[in-house]
Amino acid sequence: MRTTPASSPPPSSRLSEERRRAILAVVRELLEDVGFEALTMDMVSAGARTSKATLYRRWPHKTLLVAAALEQGERLRIDAVDTGSLAGDLDEVAAITEEDGGRSARLLSSVTHAVRGNSHLAEALRGHVVEGHLEALRLLLCRAVERGEVSRNCPALAYFPHTVLGAMLSQRALTGADPDAACLRAYFACVVLPSLDYRPR
């Protein structure tokens, strides 16, 4: 009896994790350079050296691709900051922001206008670029309260994360210059800490 050889399975269209990360890194670079509106799948295809068909199989439209890039991107690593004092933590936050060189601010700026009416993109922006930073800053403040540096009844507590993050991300938009650690440290020392009635231990 003659048997028919089993046919070879079609090549997988799944991307390796390394390849996926490389494509999303290209998307983030393009977002910083041209913004969401001008970004095209052709640009991503050329920059990542992959076919548009491959992109569309994984991300059926640009919004999903950009949302994935935002979620995959590296945040400012302020969640690891713990110097033992709030003043020291904010000094370290200033240094990390300067080291970032404004990349996080440029990424935020590149999609800010596009999030209106785009729920997928807005959710990715809040969930990755914004909320992750706010949660890390809340943790810094909770530790300061536990150490007795800040009163848990201070009315400025609720505004601390947004005030600090706003300073971290807005310096380039306001001055045209990349984030400067000395300027941020002065702002934290003269504005943020006094608003909390900070008492070093």
Side-chain angles (χ1 to χ4, degrees):
M1 178 176 174
R2 186 177 178 181
T3 59
T4 303
S7 59
S8 300
S12 173
S13 64
R14 295 182 62 183
L15 292 169
S16 69
E17 181 63 15
E18 181 180 4
R19 189 71 185 118
R20 187 182 73 88
R21 286 180 176 274
I23 291 170
L24 296 180
V26 169
V27 175
R28 290 192 297 275
E29 291 174 2
L30 288 169
L31 282 172
E32 293 178 32
D33 290 341
V34 304
F36 177 82
E37 289 84 356
L39 185 144
T40 66
M41 288 297 217
D42 285 312
M43 290 179 180
V44 178
S45 174
R49 296 183 180 179
T50 192
S51 69
K52 285 198 296 182
T54 298
L55 296 177
Y56 279 116
R57 275 196 298 268
R58 184 63 181 265
W59 301 283
H61 53 82
K62 184 174 77 169
T63 295
L64 292 178
L65 177 58
V66 170
L70 291 176
E71 291 163 2
Q72 187 68 65
E74 291 295 323
R75 292 195 298 267
L76 291 166
R77 301 310 302 177
I78 57 177
D79 53 341
V81 172
D82 186 3
T83 67
S85 74
L86 184 57
D89 288 349
L90 288 177
D91 280 351
E92 186 66 17
V93 166
I96 291 171
T97 304
E98 181 178 76
E99 184 178 334
D100 178 68
R103 292 192 75 244
S104 295
R106 289 193 296 274
L107 187 61
L108 178 63
S109 176
S110 71
V111 297
T112 297
H113 297 296
V115 298
R116 297 176 182 175
N118 192 325
S119 59
H120 291 294
L121 194 58
E123 183 178 348
L125 181 64
R126 286 193 298 268
H128 175 72
V129 180
V130 176
E131 189 53 41
H133 293 101
L134 292 177
E135 186 57 35
L137 290 167
R138 291 186 192 107
L139 179 60
L140 299 188
L141 188 59
C142 283
R143 289 199 297 259
V145 170
E146 292 169 0
R147 289 190 295 259
E149 297 173 317
V150 178
S151 168
R152 65 182 66 254
N153 298 318
C154 176
L157 290 181
Y159 306 105
F160 170 83
H162 301 82
T163 301
V164 173
L165 183 59
M168 292 166 61
L169 297 178
S170 66
Q171 192 169 0
R172 182 176 180 82
L174 294 175
T175 67
D178 288 336
D180 176 77
C183 181
L184 282 173
R185 288 188 178 111
Y187 175 76
F188 294 152
C190 297
V191 177
V192 176
L193 292 177
S195 75
L196 297 170
D197 192 22
Y198 175 67
R199 299 182 297 274
R201 295 298 179 182

